[in-house]
Every structure is written in C-alpha cells, then in structure tokens.
Amino acid sequence: MSEQAYYSTTAWRPADDGGGRKRPRPQPDTRSRSFRVQWEAGRKLSKSYIPDLVPGDFLDLWRPRLEDKSVSYMDGENGEKIPVSWMNHESFRWTTLPKFAWRWLLVKAIAKFLLVAGTPVLFATFLHIYFLSNERLDGSIQEFFLPVILYGGGGCLFLWGGISLCERLFPDFMYAAPKGPLWEFNRRTGMVIVFCNPEKKSQSGKVLWQSPFEEFDCYIHMGPTTQGLPLYYAAMVNRYREESMVLTALHPASSNPGDHKAVWNFWCQYMDSTAPLPDIPLLEPHRSEDPVTAAYDKETGRDPRYWYNMSNAAYQVKIKQMYQRCRSAFG
C-alpha cells in the first residue's frame, strides 16, 4: 500500500505543513484567558525532534519481544474480551488499572517503604540509647521499641506480605481488567483522542474530544513538592480550543525537565508520518507494517530482529547510551 493511500489527509506531516496541501487559515482562538494562563504558563517546546532518541526508561520497560504483548483487554457485557489499549504502528492507545487496584498497590508501596526505611532508623535509635544515652534500656524497650516493632513493623509486614500473597493467589481480583481507554495518539490519522472517564460505566469508551496533532503545542510546567523542591511535568495544549492533556502516563512528574523533553521528542517522532517509527523494541514487530518505516528499513538494510537478537549485555549498554544521549540533548 502506498503512503498516500495508507495515511489519512489529517496525518501529521511537519516537513511541508500538511503533505502538500494548502495550509489552512488559522482558526479563531476560542479559549478563555484563564485557560491560557493555566496551560501556557510553562516553557514551550519545539516540534523539531532528534530521530531515534527516546527516554531510556522506554528501553528499560519495553524489552525486546518477538511477538506483540502490548494489547490489554476489558470485559464485555457478555463476558467477551474487548481490546482496550495497544501500542503499534497505527496508534498508541493507553489505559490503566482501575482505582481499586491502584489503592492496593499504593498501600503495599507505603508499607514496604516504612518497613525498609524504618528498620535502620529504629536500629540506630537502639544503638544511641545503648551507648550514648543515660536512659534505661529496659524501659525504652518496653515503652517504645516493642510497640513500634509489634504494631508498626508487624502491621507493615502484614500489609506488604498479605497484598503480595493476594497478588500471587488472586491476580484477576487484584489486577482487575481495565474499564476503558484514556487517550490515543493515532499516527495513521494524525489525531489525538481523549476519552471520557472510564470509571463511569455509561461513559467508558466515549470520546471526550479529538483534534489533529498539528494543533497542539507542548509546555513544560513546574510545581513545588511538599518540601518546596521543583517538580516538572509536560502538557499538550490546543492552540484554538480548550483541550489539554498532561503527559505523565509514560513518565511521571520528576525533578528533571529533560525527562519530559525526551517524552515529547518521542511523540513528535511517532506522529510524523513522513519519517520511520522510533527504533525501539516495543515497535520492532510492527515496523514492516508501516509503509514509510518498511521502505526506510529496506533502504538501510536494517535487521528485522535487531533488538530481539541482541544479547542482554549489549542491550544494557544500549540502555546506558540512551540515558546518556538524553542527558546530553535535554539536560
């Protein structure tokens, strides 16, 4: 199939502002002043990107696989499995676990942190009282150490171990199927789609809004943590309508703005229908199905199993090199 027949007329073509079409007249800006102040207060990023440069986390998370296992399913009304998210050459549709599952994971993480971080603190306190303090050790053990160990440490150990055991014995209960998609980047049509709240059954799967990728700009925003330290995140904002999306699904807010510049660099690569797909293991099984990417791989002689045939040692080197490239490019 030719590129013209494969890609929609709305597919993003940055090189010629629309694939040879006459550039449309600018649309009227219907956004309110408060919306613009809120979403365009950060630093605006360019859509010029560095090819094959992606966050190192992507290589660490999505390891080489011969088959595609990125598809997630939700339960239909009659018990059938319905695809709800996927990551391939056509589109990148995202979903997540229901709130119920996230609550248990959060409780488990907090319990694990308190137990791991609290043990050396408690031991250091014991040594301080034993060697340096004038307090009686017997009284401290009965009044402080035993209650903390039994109720604090025991409670954390119970939650951590109990939830981990339930994950092994009842995975379908702990990790319930997603209730619906959240958003989608469609390379073939050039559209960005945001869905309604999947937690509400009547709205699950319904489109909240959709607009061409070319209408969006990306801004790096900063907010303080509870300790007053800077925390950065990226957000996409439509130039004409009150449509915005925070880009923290693939990389959470962090202290380094370069992390989010790398994520935006990935999206610009992925949505550019005139250039090959980003060369990452996740998309390797689909490269032959995208006309532009297939033609590029044929011209360059790329091995179709480049990532899959790579040794683990060589792959670890590639991950480190990608992290270094991102730091050099984005700080």
Side-chain angles (χ1 to χ4, degrees):
M1 183 183 295
S2 66
E3 298 174 18
Q4 290 78 8
Y6 181 80
Y7 293 108
S8 169
T9 56
T10 55
W12 188 50
R13 300 173 176 89
D16 56 8
D17 293 322
R21 295 171 291 139
K22 183 179 179 180
R23 187 166 185 171
R25 296 177 60 184
Q27 302 178 34
D29 188 348
T30 61
R31 304 172 301 171
S32 65
R33 183 176 181 274
S34 59
F35 179 88
R36 295 196 304 269
V37 169
Q38 176 184 357
W39 290 102
E40 295 184 348
R43 178 185 175 186
K44 183 179 176 180
L45 300 182
S46 170
K47 281 187 175 178
S48 298
Y49 61 85
I50 304 173
D52 292 329
L53 180 60
V54 301
D57 297 347
F58 288 14
L59 298 187
D60 215 1
L61 176 63
W62 294 314
R63 299 271 171 161
R65 288 175 176 171
L66 190 59
E67 70 282 357
D68 178 21
K69 292 187 177 182
S70 66
V71 182
S72 298
Y73 298 88
M74 62 180 292
D75 297 324
E77 295 182 356
N78 299 321
E80 71 277 16
K81 295 296 183 180
I82 302 175
V84 67
S85 71
W86 52 79
M87 308 169 194
N88 57 37
H89 60 291
E90 288 192 3
S91 67
F92 203 115
R93 180 177 286 194
W94 186 261
T95 188
T96 187
L97 295 173
K99 290 182 178 179
F100 167 82
W102 281 114
R103 291 192 186 102
W104 284 116
L105 290 175
L106 181 62
V107 170
K108 175 186 173 181
I110 293 175
K112 180 179 179 180
F113 172 79
L114 292 176
L115 189 64
V116 173
T119 299
V121 173
L122 190 66
F123 183 68
T125 304
F126 175 83
L127 294 178
H128 174 77
I129 294 175
Y130 185 82
F131 291 106
L132 303 176
S133 177
N134 295 325
E135 297 181 26
R136 292 188 57 187
L137 188 60
D138 294 343
S140 298
I141 291 176
Q142 294 179 359
E143 297 176 6
F144 175 73
F145 286 102
L146 283 179
V148 169
I149 293 174
L150 291 177
Y151 298 109
C156 290
L157 184 61
F158 174 79
L159 290 173
W160 182 12
I163 295 175
S164 299
L165 181 62
C166 289
E167 289 175 346
R168 289 176 174 270
L169 298 179
F170 313 105
D172 293 338
F173 173 75
M174 296 298 296
Y175 299 113
K179 296 183 178 180
L182 294 176
W183 48 258
E184 177 181 340
F185 284 76
N186 196 304
R187 170 182 168 93
R188 189 170 184 177
T189 65
M191 302 299 287
V192 178
I193 306 170
V194 170
F195 297 90
C196 296
N197 183 5
E199 294 291 334
K200 298 180 179 180
K201 189 174 182 180
S202 61
Q203 298 183 10
S204 178
K206 294 183 178 180
V207 175
L208 180 63
W209 56 257
Q210 59 177 330
S211 293
F213 181 75
E214 64 183 358
E215 294 183 0
F216 287 89
D217 295 313
C218 183
Y219 295 83
I220 296 292
H221 293 264
M222 183 188 71
T225 64
T226 54
Q227 293 80 25
L229 300 174
L231 199 63
Y232 298 93
Y233 65 94
M236 284 175 52
V237 185
N238 194 299
R239 303 188 195 107
Y240 313 112
R241 293 174 295 279
E242 292 192 356
E243 298 171 354
S244 60
M245 184 173 72
V246 176
L247 301 176
T248 53
L250 299 186
H251 200 295
S254 66
S255 59
N256 181 15
D259 297 336
H260 310 285
K261 295 177 184 178
V263 172
W264 178 243
N265 190 80
F266 167 78
W267 283 126
C268 290
Q269 293 178 76
Y270 180 80
M271 294 298 287
D272 185 358
S273 63
T274 65
L277 289 164
D279 196 349
I280 59 176
L282 175 68
L283 298 174
E284 185 168 62
H286 307 285
R287 293 183 67 88
S288 61
E289 302 173 71
D290 181 81
V292 174
T293 307
Y296 173 83
D297 289 351
K298 183 178 181 180
E299 181 182 350
T300 58
R302 182 189 182 277
D303 182 359
R305 294 160 60 107
Y306 170 75
W307 291 108
Y308 184 77
N309 289 338
M310 188 177 294
S311 67
N312 185 63
Y315 190 72
Q316 294 301 322
V317 172
K318 288 290 184 181
I319 293 177
K320 292 180 180 179
Q321 290 176 347
M322 190 64 74
Y323 276 115
Q324 293 171 354
R325 288 184 62 198
C326 287
R327 282 194 296 268
S328 299
F330 306 119

